[in-house]
Amino acid sequence: MLEDPQPSGRSGARRLTWKRVRVPLSLAVMALAIAELIVLFFVRSRPATETDPPAAGPATACRTDELALSYGPRTTTSPYGGQFTVAVLLTNKSAHGCLLAGLPTVTLNGPDHRMFGPAFQLRTSDEAVPADLTLSPGGRAHIDLTYLVGGGGASGTEQWVPTMITVGLGGAGNLTLAWSSGEAVPRQDAATHPGSYASGYINGG
């Protein structure tokens, strides 16, 4: 703090001097506390968008209630007709990612067959590879179902028309879808190289 100017020397010139001001300890402590409160206010009032998002955990296996089953495109597999491939789509309808792992099982269900019963479990294609696919919300995978159409049985004239497809998720439950084509499928349960078979999981759809 400045003192009042005092005369100095013969010339009558005035000089300025400084007086040391003692700040009470209580005021210093109060100022420090106020500064800490200001810093704390700005830290706590920072927008939530400035914080790092929590790390996402690993996806868990898809449950049946998280997936929707539907048909995709159908193509003619054999140039001679009588064999088709249809994509069976699996869509993640949940709000989080889920995992399709391993290989699915695909079974055609229908009326009781006189030799093989009501269920025709399709052989898995030799080219199928166990999958490890994560489906994001709305994401898709598919299974290629290849099948013969026409008669079957020992006489070659018996017609077996499936009513439903069942897709097994490897221990995580089964999904079902109506067999909407109305086409008969020959029962080849005991065949070494059947003309009806299924792929593994394929990404996209």
Side-chain angles (χ1 to χ4, degrees), residues 12-104:
R14 298 178 182 273
R15 61 187 176 89
L16 298 178
T17 60
W18 295 90
K19 181 187 291 184
R20 180 174 296 175
V21 178
R22 295 181 179 274
V23 179
L25 180 60
S26 59
L27 290 178
V29 172
M30 184 179 298
L32 181 61
I34 291 173
E36 289 179 350
L37 287 174
I38 292 173
V39 171
L40 185 61
F41 170 78
F42 282 106
V43 169
R44 289 188 174 180
S45 62
R46 185 174 58 180
T49 54
E50 295 182 10
T51 61
D52 295 331
T60 57
C62 294
R63 303 192 312 265
T64 54
D65 62 339
E66 297 172 329
L67 298 174
L69 209 60
S70 61
Y71 288 114
R74 188 181 88 149
T75 58
T76 302
T77 306
S78 169
Y80 307 105
Q83 188 182 46
F84 301 91
T85 296
V86 62
V88 179
L89 307 177
L90 300 99
T91 304
N92 182 4
K93 61 181 182 179
S94 73
H96 55 83
C98 68
L99 182 67
L100 289 175
L103 291 170

Side-chain angles (χ1 to χ4, degrees), residues 29-185:
V29 172
M30 184 179 298
L32 181 61
I34 291 173
E36 289 179 350
L37 287 174
I38 292 173
V39 171
L40 185 61
F41 170 78
F42 282 106
V43 169
R44 289 188 174 180
S45 62
R46 185 174 58 180
T49 54
E50 295 182 10
T51 61
D52 295 331
T60 57
C62 294
R63 303 192 312 265
T64 54
D65 62 339
E66 297 172 329
L67 298 174
L69 209 60
S70 61
Y71 288 114
R74 188 181 88 149
T75 58
T76 302
T77 306
S78 169
Y80 307 105
Q83 188 182 46
F84 301 91
T85 296
V86 62
V88 179
L89 307 177
L90 300 99
T91 304
N92 182 4
K93 61 181 182 179
S94 73
H96 55 83
C98 68
L99 182 67
L100 289 175
L103 291 170
T105 59
V106 178
T107 304
L108 301 182
N109 303 96
D112 192 15
H113 189 275
R114 64 182 180 86
M115 290 183 61
F116 302 115
F120 178 18
Q121 182 170 328
L122 301 185
R123 179 177 174 176
T124 302
S125 169
D126 294 336
E127 289 77 27
V129 177
D132 188 9
L133 298 178
T134 298
L135 297 184
S136 58
R140 281 181 173 177
H142 71 278
I143 301 166
D144 281 339
L145 191 165
T146 300
Y147 62 98
L148 295 174
V149 296
S155 65
T157 59
E158 184 177 352
Q159 299 288 314
W160 186 79
V161 181
T163 58
M164 185 180 301
I165 302 173
T166 300
V167 175
L169 302 180
N174 298 325
L175 293 166
T176 58
L177 181 65
W179 181 257
S180 59
S181 74
E183 295 168 309
V185 177

